[in-house]
Amino acid sequence: MTAKKNQKTSKKIPKGDFGYFKSEKKRRLIITAILFAVPLFIFFTSWIYFKTRMTVWTVVAVVGCLPACKSMVGLIMIFKCRPMDSALYQKIRAHQGKLDMAYELYMTFYEKSAYIDAVAICGNTVAAYSSDPKIDAAFMETNAQKIIRKNGYKATVKIFTDIRPFLERLDSMNDHKESLEEGIKFTPDEKYPDLTRNELIRQTILAICL
């Protein structure tokens, strides 16, 4: 499961693909606007019709705003995420090779969160790059690794904050892909029988990201 070959042709870009944040901001903005518009329409229509706000429709409108408020929180969170620089994406993409990767991630834990530009998975090796100057790489590595292992995958996570060693690691992972995956026992997930072990680890990582 890798980045899609042409994001512009997709209406909704999946999480983990380049262009996700830009696409998701537009999608969530539209959804939030609609969720607010419906209860507001009910409220003002009933107010005009009954000439009073003291009706059951006001209650319906207030309750109807709850999903909209929840959507607004998600919208605010996604607007905090900056889209990945296209030049940086192309540079990393050139070294991706046959690796399973994810791009444009905002990894969140209760204590801390950080922007992750790219993640590569191969066997028990998970290598990531972050251009976030405020990232606590050690903290993110430890907690991401805990969650991956909790899901049954014995993997080691390394987050690079310098692009050059990250690209070198990608090249190395491609050169030694067979040996990195050799001898690893894997039982397909019943929920996702078509996904490989690398793809399932990718899914686990996406689950802890916005």
Side-chain angles (χ1 to χ4, degrees):
M1 188 180 295
T2 56
K4 304 301 179 184
K5 60 183 179 181
N6 190 348
Q7 304 292 6
K8 292 182 179 180
T9 61
S10 176
K11 293 182 179 180
K12 180 183 177 182
I13 298 176
K15 182 193 291 187
D17 285 5
F18 175 67
Y20 169 72
F21 284 146
K22 184 177 180 181
S23 171
E24 190 67 1
K25 287 175 182 179
K26 293 179 180 178
R27 189 182 75 86
R28 294 195 186 190
L29 180 61
I30 293 172
I31 291 175
T32 302
I34 292 173
L35 288 175
F36 270 113
V38 172
L40 287 175
F41 175 79
I42 292 173
F43 172 73
F44 285 109
T45 300
S46 63
W47 189 2
I48 293 171
Y49 183 82
F50 293 106
K51 296 181 172 53
T52 177
R53 293 173 294 175
M54 307 303 291
T55 67
V56 69
W57 293 107
T58 297
V59 177
V60 171
V62 171
V63 173
C65 282
L66 295 179
C69 292
K70 182 179 180 181
S71 180
M72 176 63 78
V73 172
L75 178 64
I76 292 172
M77 292 298 294
I78 203 71
F79 261 91
K80 292 173 62 179
C81 304
R82 57 182 174 79
M84 184 178 182
D85 179 71
S86 59
L88 176 60
Y89 167 72
Q90 294 298 335
K91 181 182 291 187
I92 296 175
R93 186 75 175 83
H95 294 259
Q96 176 173 329
K98 297 181 180 179
L99 300 176
D100 288 281
M101 295 191 65
Y103 296 91
E104 284 194 7
L105 305 174
Y106 194 77
M107 193 173 289
T108 60
F109 297 104
Y110 182 77
E111 300 90 345
K112 297 180 180 181
S113 58
Y115 181 81
I116 306 293
D117 296 85
V119 176
I121 306 101
C122 185
N124 288 328
T125 301
V126 176
Y129 168 70
S130 174
S131 59
D132 188 342
K134 297 181 180 180
I135 188 174
D136 184 340
F139 175 88
M140 304 305 286
E141 288 172 352
T142 299
N143 284 274
Q145 185 169 290
K146 285 181 180 178
I147 291 178
I148 292 172
R149 294 191 174 190
K150 187 177 180 181
N151 279 269
Y153 308 108
K154 188 178 179 181
T156 301
V157 179
K158 172 64 179 176
I159 298 177
F160 295 85
T161 54
D162 188 349
I163 188 63
R164 179 172 293 181
F166 174 67
L167 296 179
E168 291 174 352
R169 177 61 64 87
L170 294 184
D171 292 337
S172 177
M173 291 168 71
N174 270 299
D175 291 339
H176 302 91
K177 190 174 188 296
E178 290 186 6
S179 61
L180 288 172
E181 297 178 339
E182 186 178 2
I184 298 177
K185 295 181 180 180
F186 169 61
T187 302
D189 192 314
E190 294 180 357
K191 295 181 179 178
Y192 309 100
D194 297 329
L195 297 187
T196 65
R197 183 178 184 276
N198 290 340
E199 291 170 338
L200 288 170
I201 293 177
R202 182 181 186 272
Q203 290 291 94
T204 300
I205 295 171
L206 293 181
I208 57 177
C209 299
L210 286 180

